[in-house]
Amino acid sequence: MKQKLDIEEIKQKMFDKLQPSGWGKVLKSFIFSSDFDKIVSQLAVLAQDGKRFTPPLKSIFRAFEECPIDQLKVVIVGQDPYPHFGVADGISFSCSNTNELQPSLSYIFDEINRTLYNGHPECVDVNLTRWSNQGILMLNIALTTTVGKSSQHYHIWKPFTAFLFDYLTWNQNGLVYIYLGKEAKEWSESVSDNNYKLFASHPASAAYLKSKTWNSQEIFHKTSELIQKNYNIKLIW
């Protein structure tokens, strides 16, 4: 017998975990909506059919939990989580669950070190909580994917992504958005032009092609300069 999912309890726990960072009040109307009920139900059905997803429900909003909304300055828009079971930790590109450097993050670190630190890394910790804590929202346009398969849940998370960008457009101006990959770039028009928009290919594409380097378009250097200029704050990558 399949265990009945208590969606209301799940939603309440998610909301409670978002309160300290300030995102609870922002996402409350969506979390307690029928749209979110459909998302959770779709994920539950997939899991019951043997199509497990990653990361687990308890971790899907971790990027928001770790990024104080009153310090939000940068939104890095990726595509979807690492598909390998047990790797994704809810913060895009972060891999603190295994502490094993993933190819996409390796390319990112290489570009940060090349463009910002003259080849001498400031930090190579694969846990990117430190970026989130500085006001960098590490977002994927799909917060989950099927274990072993990428690009499986874009349609599931589309209502949430649309809700989030709508909120940011109307309530947050002057943010730096970094769009990584074609799917992420498609959402750039959902954000007002009262923000900075930077674009680059997704580092996973360089990994797929086994390229020696990834062309980041110097997005991290440009972002650091904008944050320094506008907030007089030095981001520590």
Side-chain angles (χ1 to χ4, degrees):
M1 180 182 293
K2 295 180 180 179
Q3 185 177 0
K4 183 176 176 57
L5 197 67
D6 191 335
I7 293 180
E8 294 304 316
E9 181 181 3
I10 290 171
K11 294 193 300 184
Q12 187 63 51
K13 287 182 177 179
M14 289 179 172
F15 172 71
D16 291 343
K17 289 170 67 178
L18 286 166
Q19 289 287 71
S21 67
W23 282 99
K25 62 184 178 183
V26 173
L27 301 181
K28 180 179 181 179
S29 62
F30 190 88
I31 289 174
F32 292 102
S33 70
S34 58
D35 282 338
F36 193 56
D37 288 352
K38 293 176 184 176
I39 291 174
V40 176
S41 297
Q42 287 180 81
L43 293 174
V45 169
L46 289 172
Q48 290 170 350
D49 289 343
K51 300 175 182 177
R52 294 186 301 172
F53 61 88
T54 185
L57 278 176
K58 65 180 181 180
S59 299
I60 60 174
F61 286 139
R62 186 159 170 261
F64 299 90
E65 294 167 20
E66 298 291 349
C67 178
I69 192 169
D70 60 359
Q71 296 182 36
L72 183 63
K73 307 173 192 69
V74 180
V75 183
I76 295 182
V77 187
Q79 298 185 161
D80 54 359
Y82 296 120
H84 309 297
F85 181 75
V87 176
D89 62 14
I91 296 175
S92 65
F93 299 104
S94 182
C95 32
S96 62
N97 287 338
T98 63
N99 283 321
E100 294 180 3
L101 181 62
Q102 300 298 306
S104 289
L105 186 56
S106 178
Y107 282 108
I108 288 173
F109 281 167
D110 286 347
E111 281 297 280
I112 288 172
N113 296 334
R114 182 183 70 83
T115 60
L116 284 167
Y117 300 126
N118 295 315
H120 301 286
E122 187 82 8
C123 181
V124 291
D125 187 354
V126 298
N127 183 350
L128 301 185
T129 300
R130 66 184 184 282
W131 292 4
S132 300
N133 293 165
Q134 294 178 80
I136 302 174
L137 181 62
M138 302 295 295
L139 176 71
N140 281 314
I141 56 173
L143 300 188
T144 59
T145 193
T146 302
V147 170
K149 296 182 179 180
S150 298
S151 311
Q152 298 295 301
H153 291 184
Y154 291 140
H155 64 291
I156 294 176
W157 286 101
K158 189 173 182 179
F160 172 77
T161 307
F163 172 90
L164 176 64
F165 284 140
D166 185 62
Y167 166 81
L168 292 174
T169 288
W170 287 102
N171 296 277
Q172 300 277 349
N173 290 319
L175 299 178
V176 179
Y177 285 84
I178 297 175
Y179 297 93
L180 299 178
K182 183 182 68 171
E183 286 79 5
K185 184 179 180 180
E186 290 175 354
W187 285 94
S188 62
E189 295 183 3
S190 299
V191 173
S192 76
D193 291 332
N194 295 323
N195 300 277
Y196 304 94
K197 301 179 184 182
L198 305 175
F199 303 91
S201 62
H202 196 285
S205 62
Y208 178 77
L209 296 172
K210 297 182 180 179
S211 300
K212 186 175 181 180
T213 59
W214 164 58
N215 184 3
S216 70
Q217 306 292 337
E218 299 200 350
I219 51 177
F220 302 105
H221 182 267
K222 292 173 183 176
T223 297
S224 290
E225 287 190 330
L226 287 168
I227 298 304
Q228 183 73 55
K229 175 184 176 181
N230 295 337
Y231 298 95
N232 195 28
I233 292 174
K234 181 181 179 181
L235 291 175
I236 306 298
W237 297 99

